[in-house]
C-alpha cells in the first residue's frame, strides 16, 4: 500500500504580503496570544483533503487541472477569533464570488473523491495564531490589504521536528474573466 499524504488546496499569500502581515501581527497582538503561524505558512485554505492515497491525489490533480476559474482580488479587512478551534484570523467582510465558487468546486470534487468535507460554512481566512484559547483583544482594523489571487495550489502538510511545513506540490493559474 502506498503512503498517504496530508493535502489541501489553498491560495498562497505573496511573500511581500506575508512579511507585512507578520510585522502587523507582532505590533498588534500580545506575545502570549497563541502559537503564531510561520510567515511562509500563511494561506487561505480552499478545500482540506485529509490524509489521502497517491491514487486519490492523482485523481484530484487531474480534476483541478480542468477547473476554469477566474482571477479575483479581495480585501483582507476583517479580523476574528474562534476560541473553539483556537484560531485568530484575518479575512474578508465580503468574500468575492469567484473565490466562493472556486472553493465550492474544489470541495465538491474532494467530497466526490471520498475526502470528508466539514459541514461548517466556508469562511475564507488566513490563520494568524493557533492554540489561542483564551480571550484575545482584537485590533480595531487591518491595514486593508488587497490580495490579488491569480493561481491556486495543492499543498502537502508535514510535521517535522515540532514544525508544520507546507510544501507546494502543484499550482494552477486562474484565468482573466474575459478568457472564460
Ligand atoms: O489555516 P487553516 O486553519 O485555514 O485548519 C487547517 C488548515 O487551514 C485545515 O487545513 C489547513 C491546512 O492544515 N484543516 C486541518 N484539519 C482539518 C479538518 N479536519 C482542516 N480543515 C477541515 N477539516
Amino acid at each position: 500500500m502506498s503512503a498517504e499524504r496530508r493535502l489541501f488546496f489553498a491560495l498562497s499569500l505573496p511573500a511581500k504580503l506575508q512579511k507585512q502581515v507578520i510585522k502587523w501581527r507582532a505590533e498588534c497582538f500580545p506575545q502570549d496570544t497563541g502559537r503564531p503561524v510561520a510567515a511562509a505558512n500563511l494561506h487561505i485554505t480552499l478545500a482540506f483533503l485529509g490524509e489521502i492515497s497517491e491514487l486519490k491525489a492523482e485523481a484530484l490533480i487531474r480534476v483541478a487541472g480542468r477547473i476554469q476559474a477566474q482571477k479575483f482580488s479581495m480585501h483582507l479587512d476583517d479580523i476574528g477569533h474562534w476560541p473553539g478551534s483556537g484560531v485568530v484570523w484575518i479575512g474578508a467582510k465580503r468574500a468575492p464570488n469567484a473565490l466562493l465558487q472556486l472553493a465550492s468546486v474544489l470541495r465538491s470534487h474532494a467530497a466526490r473523491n471520498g475526502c470528508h468535507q466539514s459541514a461548517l460554512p466556508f469562511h475564507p481566512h488566513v490563520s494568524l495564531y493557533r492554540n489561542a484559547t483564551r480571550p484575545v483583544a482584537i485590533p480595531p482594523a487591518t491595514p486593508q490589504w488587497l490580495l490579488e489571487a491569480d493561481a491556486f495550489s495543492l499543498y502537502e502538510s508535514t510535521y517535522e521536528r515540532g514544525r508544520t511545513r507546507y510544501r507546494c506540490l502543484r499550482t494552477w493559474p486562474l484565468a482573466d474573466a474575459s478568457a472564460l
Side-chain angles (χ1 to χ4, degrees), residues 24-91:
W24 171 84
R25 178 177 68 185
E27 288 162 4
C28 293
F29 291 91
Q31 273 191 350
D32 62 355
T33 299
R35 184 162 52 84
V37 175
N41 286 355
L42 296 174
H43 67 275
I44 296 179
T45 300
L46 297 167
F48 179 71
L49 306 177
E51 312 266 340
I52 64 169
S53 67
E54 212 45 48
L55 210 62
K56 244 185 219 184
E58 280 164 16
L60 282 159
I61 285 171
R62 276 195 298 276
V63 288
R66 290 198 291 265
I67 291 174
Q68 296 203 315
Q70 258 181 50
K71 285 181 185 171
F72 58 89
S73 54
M74 67 191 280
H75 285 283
L76 295 172
D77 57 0
D78 200 12
I79 318 170
H81 176 212
W82 294 323
S85 54
V87 170
V88 175
W89 51 269
I90 53 172

Side-chain angles (χ1 to χ4, degrees), residues 6 8 43-45 48 87 116 118 125-127 130 157 166:
R6 187 179 178 84
F8 63 99
H43 67 275
I44 296 179
T45 300
F48 179 71
V87 170
H116 171 78
S118 162
H125 64 278
V126 180
S127 294
R130 301 194 189 282
S157 168
Y166 298 146

